Amino acid sequence: MRNAARRLAGATGILVIAGALPLVATAPAQATTKQCTSFLAEAGYKVGPKVRQACGLVGTGGWITRNANVAPCQGILELVHVKPDHAGKACYLGTED
């Protein structure tokens, strides 16, 4: 009986976590890609496909996904010759709701 109760508790815990994860990980962002690209355009950078791709990393998905993509966003922007401080600021703006 004790093992059955443990298994039931474990299974219940997994179901609760699995049910809550989509709420945390996939909440949509609001206009964050636009904030990133607008900042770069105002700073004088050309906003082409690579910049939009980088900003899209931090502008879409849930909070966890957007924040996990800050470093890749900065890396892509720096590869297309965006100054590191501008890349960091743009990617940070992209994570905001």
Side-chain angles (χ1 to χ4, degrees):
M1 187 70 173
R2 215 173 185 178
N3 286 335
R6 283 186 187 164
R7 279 187 244 148
L8 180 61
T12 302
I14 289 171
L15 288 174
V16 168
I17 291 169
L21 188 58
L23 298 175
V24 173
T26 61
Q30 300 294 322
T32 54
T33 301
K34 180 75 173 161
Q35 289 173 292
C36 177
T37 56
S38 293
F39 172 80
L40 292 170
E42 290 172 16
Y45 296 99
K46 179 182 176 189
V47 177
K50 290 183 181 178
V51 169
R52 281 194 283 289
Q53 174 195 14
C55 288
L57 291 173
V58 294
T60 57
W63 183 87
I64 293 171
T65 302
R66 293 190 323 261
N67 283 285
N69 286 334
V70 168
C73 172
Q74 285 182 277
I76 292 170
L77 291 176
E78 289 178 25
L79 284 174
V80 295
H81 308 291
V82 173
K83 291 180 182 178
D85 57 327
H86 289 155
K89 175 73 172 174
C91 293
Y92 172 75
L93 288 171
T95 64
E96 296 178 348
D97 282 334

